[in-house]
Amino acid sequence: MDFNELKKEMGKYFRLYISEFVKSPQDEEKLKLEGKQLIRCFLPDHEDKNPSMTVFEDRAYCFKDGTIDIFRAAHLLEGKPLNGKDFMSENVFYLADKLNIDLSSFNKDMSEEIAEKMRLRYFFWAFYVYIRQGLE
């Protein structure tokens, strides 16, 4: 299993993971439905009165924070690292354990490569958000 396969596999559990963080029973019910759903933002620094976050099967889109995948959700909700040497142990394997995801076919030797890819990915994402906020 390579990184893209890992991300796709873990993305299947995105709605299950965020379900403990949603702020209303109505939003929790929407997460059980198929297809994209509009819910109140589940991030701790958002106080939505009306639904403003679009949730897909494997990610969400917040108008303030952009696209949120399962790894970024763990970072924003529980402070898990997005990159570096602790990314695999404290984010990927933490989520796998928490959600009972079998990673036995994942090549653990790829950890360094994946950590570097995630570091670059989130660096560019942070730069994009910084630029976008400066233009507003």
Side-chain angles (χ1 to χ4, degrees):
M1 178 184 308
D2 67 11
F3 177 70
N4 290 329
E5 292 169 340
L6 172 70
K7 184 177 173 188
K8 186 175 181 179
E9 180 64 28
M10 293 190 76
K12 295 175 187 176
Y13 297 87
F14 179 74
R15 288 186 180 206
L16 175 64
Y17 174 66
I18 66 168
S19 65
E20 72 178 86
F21 300 99
V22 295
K23 299 175 181 176
S24 76
Q26 295 88 356
D27 291 340
E28 197 169 335
E29 289 301 314
K30 285 183 181 180
L31 290 177
K32 296 175 185 174
L33 301 174
E34 301 246 346
K36 73 178 184 179
Q37 300 294 323
L38 195 61
I39 67 169
R40 289 168 193 81
C41 185
F42 55 80
L43 297 176
D45 63 338
H46 292 206
E47 291 298 326
D48 281 350
K49 292 182 181 174
N50 298 309
S52 66
M53 176 178 270
T54 305
V55 177
F56 302 91
E57 297 301 318
D58 61 345
R59 67 194 182 290
Y61 181 80
C62 172
F63 290 105
K64 181 179 176 190
D65 291 304
T67 302
I68 301 167
D69 63 10
I70 194 165
F71 304 123
R72 190 151 173 256
H75 171 69
L76 295 170
L77 295 167
E78 299 188 79
K80 301 300 176 190
L82 283 178
N83 54 47
K85 62 182 177 66
D86 296 331
F87 171 71
M88 292 302 295
S89 63
E90 292 186 26
N91 196 323
V92 175
F93 294 119
Y94 165 79
L95 288 169
D97 186 53
K98 182 174 185 168
L99 300 170
N100 295 317
I101 301 170
D102 179 21
L103 294 182
S104 59
S105 64
F106 176 65
N107 182 356
K108 292 176 178 61
D109 295 332
M110 294 178 58
S111 296
E112 293 292 323
E113 178 186 341
I114 289 173
E116 179 63 16
K117 284 182 182 179
M118 293 303 290
R119 185 187 69 74
L120 290 171
R121 178 179 174 204
Y122 286 109
F123 169 79
F124 286 113
W125 168 83
F127 181 71
Y128 165 77
V129 169
Y130 173 77
I131 295 297
R132 194 174 95 193
Q133 289 175 346
L135 296 175
E136 292 176 352

